[in-house]
DNA sequence: GTTGAATCTGAGTAAATGCTCGGTTTATAA
DNA sequence: TTATAAACCGAGCATTTACTCAGATTCAAC
């Protein structure tokens, strides 16, 4: 898949504001309508610009939402990297709790948006989600390698895959579950599972 | 949300075949096109019936796919119940391995279909996925309760939530990951994590 | 102030889609 | 055989949508 490029980049301040307004509006419309029902006319209307203006910056509908999603994931990856950087020397239990807690918070913050995006990533076949996953796995793996002698896992790459996808799966499920457990208790329990998997017994917590 | 009912039920054998053909075609078209691009005209064409015939059995597009998804999840729940029924007295390690293995297989069997459905469930806001999750959690919880004294978890409902969503998350991630670990190794590792969480040390495996 | 580039406008077009409805064909039963 | 119901057909309508383009407006530079 070739990623469609913005048709033209804004140079004046007015144009930059327009560009931002369009991206912001596309996020709002995506959340409230879903991808296919999110018409470009509606996005332009919400952004307060004409449909013609929208098509000056984005060659087609797909390019618009691709730009939105790519940007979102770039931010996510950056966040993750900053967090793990500050945790690399922290005790395992603390690091795990911080990681799990951060993921819970990130998704809770803008549940609808994360939701809508996650849904569309599959649909558009974007490499973005894959990128986030791979980066997450690499970051976690680096951490595991650094603490290897204290852990009872053998394959750090495999463990990283299991951990990242398990925790994200839990967070994801949480979004749709009508009878959700209490958040703090769940966060603790997930941390517990991770710690038991990594180091074992009650010395984990 | 009111679940739209089939407009009319087929009574003759010919009509039953038509009904089935339409549902089958809707699955195929959903997979190849996604929900919004899956036009009813296309479904009718693939099913080899006229568009008018389709609308004799389903009042609208949504009802068609709701019927498809509801049926799929009913089958899934049934499968799960049969499996756990035969595992309730099995040793923990064996039961866990069987459960994890079954989920891996079920999704691997028709990855594209599971995918497409999972995506649409959110979009349509169906109670079906919720039903599957809740039933899964209940089934797992019953199992955990039955083996409670051998486990080191306190809240079986919470543990069931964590386990079900974690394992499903891993399976789900597996679908999109381009660099996927070897399946058997992954399945073993997931089982390992579950066992360590539930019972602890190396006596787990 | 003037000029040319950057930016914005929005009515309109072509195509696609959900769904209807009047009418034909096929099955059942007396 | 014939009458009634069940099942099927598909041209076409109403609506929506992505996207264009010819022209209007705003900015920057001199």
């Amino acid at each position: 898949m070739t990623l469609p490029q913005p048709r033209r980049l804004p140079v004046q301040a007015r144009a930059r504001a327009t560009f931002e307004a369009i991206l912001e509006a596309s996020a709002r419309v995506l959340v409230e309508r879903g991808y296919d029902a999110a018409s470009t006319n509606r996005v332009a209307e919400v952004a307060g610009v004409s449909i013609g203006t929208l098509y000056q910056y984005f060659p087609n509908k797909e390019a618009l939402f691709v730009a939105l999603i790519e940007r979102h994931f770039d931010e996510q990856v950056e966040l993750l990297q900053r967090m793990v950087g500050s945790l690399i020397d922290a005790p395992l239990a603390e690091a795990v709790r911080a990681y799990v807690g951060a993921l819970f918070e990130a998704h809770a913050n803008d549940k609808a948006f994360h939701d809508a995006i996650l849904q569309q990533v599959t649909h558009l076949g974007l490499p973005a989600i894959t990128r986030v996953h791979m980066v997450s796995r690499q970051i976690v793996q680096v951490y595991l390698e650094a603490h290897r002698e204290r852990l009872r896992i053998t394959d750090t790459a495999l463990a990283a895959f299991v951990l990242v996808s398990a925790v994200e799966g839990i967070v994801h499920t949480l979004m749709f579950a009508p009878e959700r457990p209490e958040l703090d208790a769940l966060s603790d329990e997930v941390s517990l599972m991770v710690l038991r998997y990594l180091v074992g017994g009650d010395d984990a917590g």
Side-chain angles (χ1 to χ4, degrees), chain A:
Chain A
M1 207 186 77
T2 32
L3 288 179
Q5 291 300 317
R7 178 169 280 178
R8 126 193 250 153
L9 290 175
V11 309
Q12 300 178 2
R14 173 175 57 140
R16 249 170 294 147
T18 300
F19 189 87
E20 284 305 316
I22 293 171
L23 274 187
E24 244 175 72
S26 70
R28 284 180 50 189
V29 176
L30 179 67
V31 165
E32 81 183 11
R33 301 265 246 256
Y35 180 78
D36 296 78
S39 77
T40 50
N41 286 295
R42 171 78 181 144
V43 170
E45 181 192 327
V46 168
V49 302
S50 100
I51 182 64
T53 298
L54 188 153
Y55 277 95
Q56 277 199 325
Y57 296 105
F58 303 95
N60 52 50
K61 177 178 172 175
E62 187 179 343
L64 171 61
F65 288 99
V66 164
L68 176 71
I69 294 176
E70 291 278 340
R71 172 196 274 209
H72 171 70
F73 278 127
D74 284 347
E75 287 169 5
Q76 290 280 101
V77 166
E78 216 179 320
L79 193 86
L80 193 68
Q81 269 163 339
R82 271 205 309 275
M83 190 182 71
V84 173
S86 71
L87 285 175
I88 189 76
D89 290 326
L92 190 72
E94 193 181 317
V96 168
R97 276 170 207 283
Y99 178 75
V100 171
L103 277 189
F104 269 66
E105 233 176 277
H107 284 76
N109 268 347
D110 202 343
K111 165 174 150 30
F113 183 57
H114 275 82
D115 238 45
I117 282 196
L118 214 63
Q119 211 171 22
Q120 276 331 114
V121 161
T122 328
H123 190 260
L124 295 175
L126 292 183
I129 181 71
T130 288
R131 236 176 42 223
V132 175
H133 263 289
M134 302 237 320
V135 171
S136 298
R137 282 157 59 185
Q138 274 167 3
I139 290 175
V140 169
Q141 192 184 352
V142 165
Y143 186 90
L144 295 180
E145 285 288 349
H147 296 72
R148 183 163 212 152
E149 66 259 33
R150 258 170 298 168
L151 307 179
R152 59 169 177 172
I153 53 172
T154 54
D155 186 337
T156 53
L158 190 59
F161 184 96
V162 169
L163 287 178
V164 169
S165 52
V167 174
E168 290 199 350
I170 291 166
V171 171
H172 190 244
T173 298
L174 204 54
M175 290 183 174
F176 309 112
E179 289 186 25
R180 40 172 67 194
E182 204 266 316
L183 272 191
D184 286 339
L186 181 62
S187 181
D188 285 348
E189 191 75 7
V190 173
S191 301
L192 186 65
M193 178 179 72
V194 172
L195 286 170
R196 283 183 180 166
Y197 168 54
L198 289 178
V199 301
D202 303 294
D203 53 316

